[in-house]
Amino acid sequence: MSGHVFVVGADLTRLSCDDVLVPTGRSLRVSPGWCPLLPAELVSDADDAGACVGLAWEAGERVLEVPGDGARRTWLVDTVDDEGRGLPWLLEGAREALDAVARRAVPEPAHGRARRLVGLPALGTGWGGAAGMRGALLQQLLPVLREAAHEHGFDVALVLKRPSDLAAAQRVRRGEDGGWDLPEHLQELARQLGDRAGRGQLAVFLGAGVSAAAGLPTWEQLVDELAGRTGLDDEVRAGLTGLPPQDSAALLARELGNEALEAYVKERFGPGPYALAHALIADLPVQEFVTTNYDPLLEQAAADMGRSLRVLPFEEARPGAPWLLKLHGDAARPESIVLTREEYLRHGDSRAALAGVLHSLLLTRHVLFVGTSMLDDDLIRIAHEVRSALRLEGSGRVHRSGTVLTLRRDVARARLWERDVETVAMADDDVPAAEAARRLEVLLDLIGCLSTPPNGYLLDPAYRGLLDEEERALADALATVADLVPDDGSSGAGRQVAALLRRLGLQRGD
């Protein structure tokens, strides 16, 4: 079965992968940002310019597997072209590396994913000599990655750090057959949602299913983990699953104590590697996000692409800045966590105010629900209130204010919610849940490809080769403007123009 090539803005050291390719040269020196992926005992001579890896090449080889006993494996790839061999040599190195990765058996991909995920940067754009040829590299590297994914059956994530890199890669993919292994109705859905996102009409709601792909527990798993830390007998523990979530949490809080419960949630849902879905969602041109999750993984993924999400209600929203509303609290602020029924009742007024934000989004945006079963009491109540506000007596009007992406078909639940949202399943019951979750990732990848602004690399000279005649003329004219405006701008107008130039891919110092 063929794998898929994802293009995502992220930090490879924090993206959950099974294998990561790290560029280096014959000296086995790596840039300092790669050190978190290497065993400390192999790193020496580390400074701001880089670090040396305590391994050695065999004659003629270009790929080294870094020893380690963790689930994730790091591979060093020689990409420093000291002899001017050009892009064909870099591309051959990518092929050799992916072939070597394929020879390592991975019986169970990370966190139950259907396929192993291999992450790599745009090889050769750092010390490798291809920094000024990013456009040509992307045009030739993507087909190489697709060939390897097809041959070996694993998924590949091309991970890019700069917004201009991501925008250029998405342009390349839009101009060719991206190999989207999705049914036509899901491709049409991606086109609709991508159009909404591109026009600023899409908001995103994240549920626990997104963070489960990063190894965090679902509600049922959290209850089981907490129960294991109590002295409850097996019969009582088995009965927890039959209680409403807030009541099972209340019993556990009584057994453990609120302080111990909050401390566990803070530790369990703290910073860590984020899932591919977190990065794909964070890359979308969306300004408003809502979640019932406690963890900081979406904020981390966004920050790694230079997007600082204001976390509501703990931070003040700023005009034009993206934000994330945490309906049930933040693990970094344990006192804000809403778990038990008592906490739901005690924070009723403040939670009603937060729910009003989601009300507003359902009335003014199209909300994409990802990773939620739509069984949360808050969501049910909010949807009912929005439906009541929009109801026109005798008109029979149906206002669908969102789209819910589910893994499996659930006819009864889809019928229940049909007046409020459209429910779209990724697969039928005969498809394993893990493969359905992977299909959801592919769908998010296509939405991102179609919605990424097409001009984010206009002023990046590394991508001049991608521009047509009109775009080159615009880039030349704007370059003269850039010479007149300092990066921070000394006036209100100057700051606005500087911000626009950055969004168009201006790299100061290029």
Side-chain angles (χ1 to χ4, degrees), residues 121-186:
L123 297 171
T125 55
W127 297 341
M133 301 181 291
R134 281 186 166 91
L137 175 66
L138 290 175
Q139 288 175 314
Q140 298 181 49
L141 178 60
L142 282 166
V144 169
L145 301 183
R146 282 197 292 271
E147 290 171 8
H150 177 75
E151 178 181 355
H152 302 303
F154 51 53
D155 290 334
V156 178
L158 177 60
V159 179
L160 306 169
K161 285 280 287 185
R162 304 193 313 173
S164 59
D165 293 337
L166 182 60
Q170 303 294 33
R171 170 169 173 164
V172 171
R173 291 209 294 175
R174 285 194 296 269
E176 60 186 19
D177 179 9
W180 307 102
D181 185 19
L182 291 171
E184 179 54 37
H185 75 281
L186 291 183

Side-chain angles (χ1 to χ4, degrees), residues 87 106 116:
L87 291 183
V106 177
R116 69 193 289 190

Side-chain angles (χ1 to χ4, degrees), residues 316-371:
E316 183 179 353
R318 293 178 179 172
W323 50 260
L324 168 66
L325 170 64
K326 292 198 164 183
L327 282 176
H328 289 176
D330 187 338
R333 304 167 176 87
E335 71 283 355
S336 71
I337 295 295
V338 177
L339 270 174
T340 68
R341 188 171 298 280
E342 180 183 354
E343 290 166 338
Y344 271 74
L345 296 173
R346 186 170 65 244
H347 298 295
D349 291 342
S350 60
R351 290 176 59 251
L354 300 183
V357 178
L358 184 53
H359 282 132
S360 175
L361 292 178
L362 288 167
L363 289 167
T364 61
R365 299 283 189 272
H366 189 88
V367 181
L368 178 63
F369 293 87
V370 186

Side-chain angles (χ1 to χ4, degrees), residues 449-498:
C449 177
L450 297 174
S451 64
T452 299
N455 49 17
Y457 55 88
L458 184 68
L459 299 183
D460 189 335
Y463 293 111
R464 191 170 178 84
L466 292 181
L467 306 183
D468 58 30
E469 184 176 349
E470 179 184 0
E471 290 170 330
R472 283 194 293 273
L474 285 171
D476 291 340
L478 289 170
T480 63
V481 176
D483 292 337
L484 301 174
V485 181
D487 189 38
D488 55 354
S490 57
S491 64
R495 287 191 293 273
Q496 290 289 330
V497 173

Side-chain angles (χ1 to χ4, degrees), residues 404-417:
V404 179
L405 303 181
T406 65
L407 300 188
R408 300 280 185 80
R409 292 179 69 241
D410 188 330
V411 178
R413 193 171 301 173
R415 183 70 175 268
L416 174 66
W417 286 94

Side-chain angles (χ1 to χ4, degrees), residues 222-368:
L222 177 61
V223 167
D224 188 60
E225 290 180 10
L226 290 170
R229 302 171 71 87
T230 71
L232 295 173
D233 60 42
D234 292 343
E235 184 179 4
V236 176
R237 288 180 59 180
L240 286 171
T241 59
L243 293 176
Q246 299 96 325
D247 293 333
S248 58
L251 177 56
L252 292 168
R254 191 171 67 191
E255 293 294 320
L256 293 169
N258 281 326
E259 289 187 6
L261 184 63
E262 290 177 354
Y264 183 80
V265 170
K266 181 177 181 178
E267 178 183 0
R268 189 68 173 91
F269 292 91
Y274 47 80
L276 178 61
H278 286 113
L280 292 169
I281 292 170
D283 290 343
L284 294 175
V286 169
Q287 292 290 94
E288 301 106 352
F289 301 89
V290 181
T291 187
T292 49
N293 298 345
Y294 309 128
D295 62 76
L297 300 187
L298 183 70
E299 303 98 290
Q300 291 178 5
D304 285 341
M305 277 300 285
R307 302 187 76 196
S308 178
L309 297 183
R310 308 291 295 176
V311 180
L312 310 183
F314 313 105
E315 297 177 304
E316 183 179 353
R318 293 178 179 172
W323 50 260
L324 168 66
L325 170 64
K326 292 198 164 183
L327 282 176
H328 289 176
D330 187 338
R333 304 167 176 87
E335 71 283 355
S336 71
I337 295 295
V338 177
L339 270 174
T340 68
R341 188 171 298 280
E342 180 183 354
E343 290 166 338
Y344 271 74
L345 296 173
R346 186 170 65 244
H347 298 295
D349 291 342
S350 60
R351 290 176 59 251
L354 300 183
V357 178
L358 184 53
H359 282 132
S360 175
L361 292 178
L362 288 167
L363 289 167
T364 61
R365 299 283 189 272
H366 189 88
V367 181
L368 178 63

